[in-house]
């Protein structure tokens, strides 16, 4: 993609205005902090609350201070996602009135306080390095190497053909899954049994891949609706998403539907109309309660109730829902476990977490034992240390491998990558680029899970876009109008 070098990052202009916004945001954050602290009556909460509040404030800082005002720019999106996770942790601590760290809860009060403060410091360090890399990147020309999807015309016949092929893969795969699971096709409460179908037999993990392919034609149709401004295509793709998400969740996997739903919301933001922050927070709460209910049906204890009853009971108590989510996801426990064991009780991994990438493309139905000796990926670190089934975040995995120095340097480079990714998206200003941008932003991180997600969604979508669109000839005047802007 030929383009002029990027000289600045969107949202970083007008330093005086940015400083004023930072000052106002800091003032509001201090008021909220004083109010929350005043509600704390436990010494553990009082000791860790300032650290956690600073981490939350740093996560949310770009949303209220950058001039671009784009809710789904990389610093805003990552701040919303990670800041919400930290708020959930704070609510969980308040609900329990102590620092619960799963199997590590038996440690002394001083140790649990120290670990939680280190968790907050890890968040502050990684976020600070990320923002430095985003707003002051060392490489501003990486965006010129991203795919050029401008000046391409849709071919409806190719779109229909690709959608039918993907839908056929989805239907065939789901039929195989349903034949093994049995029972009512519309029963959403048998998630534990559904997950056992492919979890207990690793040669059946191809089912998860095949079912998730059902999201791709939905994404394509949603993208086509934004390109052609077709409301019928928009409504149809929305309904199809709900259907595919329902069936995908019956396999006991909550993450893919949430990720694709977030990507579609972001694409709506870029191709139809802007999504207000309040609306996004409301949808986020609905997604949180939904995942909680699905997690209940997937747990070891059978729940004799309906989805509708569980959802209505929990949506009316958002605080309790957030506390339940904190316990379910065990993010504080996962991060604390890594900080507790590394490096005092276990040497740094020094890149061992990425070793499985060498065999990632070999399916398990061909080589079922390929991951048997790989104990330190982002999904296995915490189960290996304390037996809790919880993946670690990207910064936490960086710490387990490379210590604090690795966290700072790698998160800085991650910010550089996101700065160029956003510049590529804003320079092109076409729906196809917007879709690849949001999918990359939502599912891809340099972790085992993140790279696997990119191979499931980002790479196939790039290939599909190359197939269903063709390069069209443009006039010199159009070429001048489509020349990427220089920031």
């Amino acid at each position: 993609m030929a383009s002029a070098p990027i000289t600045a990052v969107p949202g970083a202009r007008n330093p005086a205005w940015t400083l004023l916004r930072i000052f106002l945001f800091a003032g509001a954050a201090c008021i909220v902090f004083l109010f929350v602290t005043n509600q704390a009556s436990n010494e553990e909460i009082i000791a860790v609350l300032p650290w956690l509040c600073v981490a939350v404030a740093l996560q949310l800082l770009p949303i209220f201070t950058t001039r671009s005002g784009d809710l789904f720019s990389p610093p805003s999106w990552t701040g919303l996602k990670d800041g919400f996770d930290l708020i959930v942790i704070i609510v969980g601590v308040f609900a329990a009135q102590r620092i619960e760290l799963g199997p590590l809860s038996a440690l002394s009060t001083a140790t649990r306080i120290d670990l939680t403060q280190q968790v907050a410091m890890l968040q502050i360090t990684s976020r600070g390095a990320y923002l430095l890399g985003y707003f002051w990147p060392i490489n501003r020309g990486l965006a010129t190497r991203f795919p050029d999807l401008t000046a391409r015309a849709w071919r409806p016949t190719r779109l229909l053909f690709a959608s039918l092929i993907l839908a056929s893969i989805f239907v065939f795969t789901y039929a195989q899954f349903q034949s093994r699971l049995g029972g009512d096709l519309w029963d959403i409460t048998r998630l534990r049994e559904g997950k056992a179908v492919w979890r207990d037999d690793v040669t059946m993990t191809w089912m998860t891949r095949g079912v998730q392919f059902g999201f791709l034609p939905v994404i394509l149709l949603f993208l086509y609706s934004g390109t052609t401004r077709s409301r019928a295509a928009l409504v149809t793709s929305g309904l199809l998403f709900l259907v595919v998400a329902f069936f995908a969740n019956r396999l006991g996997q909550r993450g893919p539907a949430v990720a694709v739903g977030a990507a579609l919301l972001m694409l709506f933001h870029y191709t139809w109309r802007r999504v207000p922050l309040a609306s996004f927070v409301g949808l986020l709460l609905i997604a949180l309660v939904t995942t909680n209910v699905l997690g209940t049906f997937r747990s070891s204890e059978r729940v004799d109730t309906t989805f509708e009853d569980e959802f209505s009971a929990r949506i009316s108590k958002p605080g309790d829902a957030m506390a339940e989510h904190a316990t379910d996801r065990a993010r504080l426990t996962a991060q604390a476990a890594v900080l507790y064991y590394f490096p005092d009780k276990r040497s740094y991994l020094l890149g061992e977490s990425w070793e499985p990438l060498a065999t990632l493309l070999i399916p398990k139905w061909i080589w079922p034992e390929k991951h048997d000796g790989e104990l330190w990926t982002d999904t296995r670190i915490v189960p290996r240390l304390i037996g809790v089934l919880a993946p670690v975040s990207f910064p936490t995995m960086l710490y387990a491998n490379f210590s604090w120095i690795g966290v700072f340097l790698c998160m800085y480079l991650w910010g550089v990558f996101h700065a160029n990714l956003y510049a590529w998206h804003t320079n092109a200003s076409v729906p196809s680029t917007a879709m690849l941008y949001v999918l990359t932003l939502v599912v891809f991180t340099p972790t085992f899970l993140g790279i696997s997600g990119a191979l499931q969604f980002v790479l196939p979508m790039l290939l599909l876009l190359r197939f269903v669109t063709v390069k069209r000839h443009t006039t010199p005047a159009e070429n001048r109008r489509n020349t990427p802007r220089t920031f």
Side-chain angles (χ1 to χ4, degrees):
M1 173 178 169
S3 65
I6 305 164
T7 58
V9 177
R13 293 174 286 188
N14 198 337
W17 179 246
T18 300
L19 286 175
L20 176 60
R21 289 188 173 210
I22 291 175
F23 176 78
L24 295 174
F25 175 78
C30 288
I31 293 173
V32 173
F33 168 71
L34 291 173
F35 172 79
V36 174
T37 304
N38 188 54
Q39 304 301 310
S41 57
N42 183 288
E43 64 171 328
E44 295 183 21
I45 299 176
I46 295 174
V48 302
L49 193 58
W51 297 83
L52 293 172
C53 285
V54 170
V56 171
L58 193 58
Q59 294 287 354
L60 301 180
L61 181 65
I63 301 173
F64 300 100
T65 59
T66 55
R67 194 181 172 195
S68 65
D70 186 355
L71 186 61
F72 298 120
S73 66
S76 296
W77 163 251
T78 55
L80 280 169
K81 179 171 59 70
D82 297 337
F84 181 77
D85 289 343
L86 285 170
I87 292 172
V88 167
I89 288 175
I90 293 174
V91 173
V93 172
F94 264 96
Q97 283 298 298
R98 70 189 302 266
I99 300 171
E100 293 285 356
L101 299 179
L104 300 180
S105 296
L107 296 173
S108 66
T109 299
T111 302
R112 287 184 288 109
I113 289 175
D114 179 63
L115 286 174
T116 306
Q117 290 174 341
Q118 288 188 57
V119 168
M121 182 54 66
L122 177 64
Q123 295 291 327
I124 292 170
T125 302
S126 62
R127 182 61 171 175
Y130 172 85
L131 293 178
L132 284 175
Y134 183 84
F135 288 106
W136 293 280
I138 55 174
N139 185 344
R140 302 176 184 273
L142 181 62
T144 62
R145 302 179 181 273
F146 289 7
D148 180 10
L149 299 176
T150 58
R152 298 186 69 88
W154 284 82
R155 289 293 182 264
T157 54
R158 293 190 180 186
L159 174 63
L160 179 61
F161 176 76
S163 298
L164 289 175
I165 294 296
L166 292 168
S168 299
I169 295 174
F170 167 75
V171 171
F172 172 79
T173 306
Y174 200 84
Q176 297 299 311
F177 164 77
Q178 181 63 27
S179 67
R180 290 175 175 268
L181 177 64
D184 185 1
L185 179 65
W186 301 100
D187 185 1
I188 194 63
T189 65
R190 301 183 63 211
L191 300 187
R192 184 165 177 256
E193 296 90 335
K195 190 167 187 177
V197 168
W198 55 270
R199 175 59 66 84
D200 294 346
D201 182 359
V202 295
T203 62
M204 294 291 105
T205 54
W206 59 270
M207 288 183 176
T208 63
R209 297 287 186 181
V211 170
Q212 289 174 33
F213 273 141
F215 286 113
L216 294 178
V218 175
I219 297 172
L220 277 176
L221 183 59
F222 196 96
L223 178 62
Y224 180 75
S225 74
T227 304
T228 60
R229 309 301 294 176
S230 170
R231 294 184 180 275
L234 176 66
V235 173
T236 302
S237 59
L239 294 175
L240 287 175
F241 166 73
L242 295 177
V243 173
V244 176
F246 174 86
F247 287 124
N249 273 299
R250 294 192 74 234
L251 275 73
Q253 286 192 309
R254 297 171 289 177
V258 173
V260 173
L264 294 181
L265 178 67
M266 294 162 71
L267 186 63
F268 180 86
H269 173 83
Y270 288 121
T271 58
W272 286 89
R273 63 171 61 94
R274 297 288 177 173
V275 175
L277 177 59
S279 299
F280 175 78
V281 172
L283 292 172
L284 186 63
L285 180 60
I286 292 174
L288 180 145
V289 174
T290 302
T291 56
N292 285 353
V293 175
L294 295 177
T296 300
F297 293 135
R298 203 180 68 178
S299 65
S300 57
E301 297 181 0
R302 183 69 179 175
V303 179
D304 187 17
T305 184
T306 65
F307 178 88
E308 294 79 5
D309 291 340
E310 288 291 317
F311 183 86
S312 60
R314 300 183 192 195
I315 194 66
S316 61
K317 300 177 180 179
D320 292 346
M322 294 174 74
E324 181 186 2
H325 192 73
T327 302
D328 177 49
R329 294 306 176 116
R331 290 188 176 92
L332 179 60
T333 300
Q335 296 176 77
V338 170
L339 291 164
Y340 179 71
Y341 280 93
F342 293 93
D344 294 340
K345 299 173 178 57
R346 176 66 169 81
S347 300
Y348 290 119
L349 299 176
L350 301 178
E352 193 174 342
S353 294
W354 286 273
E355 285 183 359
L357 295 179
T359 60
L360 182 62
L361 296 179
I362 303 177
K364 285 186 177 180
W365 57 270
I366 293 179
W367 186 10
E369 304 85 9
K370 71 172 183 173
H371 290 324
D372 286 356
E374 299 160 353
L375 302 176
W376 301 109
T377 62
D378 47 316
T379 59
R380 297 194 177 192
I381 291 178
V382 177
R384 174 70 173 172
L385 294 177
I386 59 174
V388 174
L389 297 177
V392 295
S393 63
F394 181 39
T396 311
M397 190 174 74
L398 290 175
Y399 174 82
N401 281 271
F402 306 120
S403 78
W404 292 98
I405 296 176
V407 171
F408 185 87
L409 292 178
C410 293
M411 289 304 296
Y412 175 83
L413 294 176
W414 187 233
V416 173
F417 171 76
H418 270 180
N420 283 272
L421 178 69
Y422 189 60
W424 169 70
H425 155 59
T426 54
N427 277 339
S429 296
V430 294
S432 298
T433 302
M435 172 47 71
L436 280 182
Y437 162 73
V438 300
L439 278 178
T440 304
L441 190 63
V442 170
V443 306
F444 173 64
T445 54
T447 63
F448 186 78
L449 274 180
I451 294 173
S452 178
L455 292 176
Q456 178 71 48
F457 292 109
V458 181
L459 181 59
M461 183 54 60
L462 175 60
L463 297 177
L464 285 169
L465 287 174
R466 291 290 191 185
F467 175 73
V468 302
T469 63
V470 294
K471 192 77 174 178
R472 63 180 178 85
H473 299 290
T474 57
T475 65
E478 288 177 322
N479 287 333
R480 286 193 296 272
R481 286 197 301 270
N482 292 331
T483 299
R485 300 182 298 274
T486 300
F487 294 106

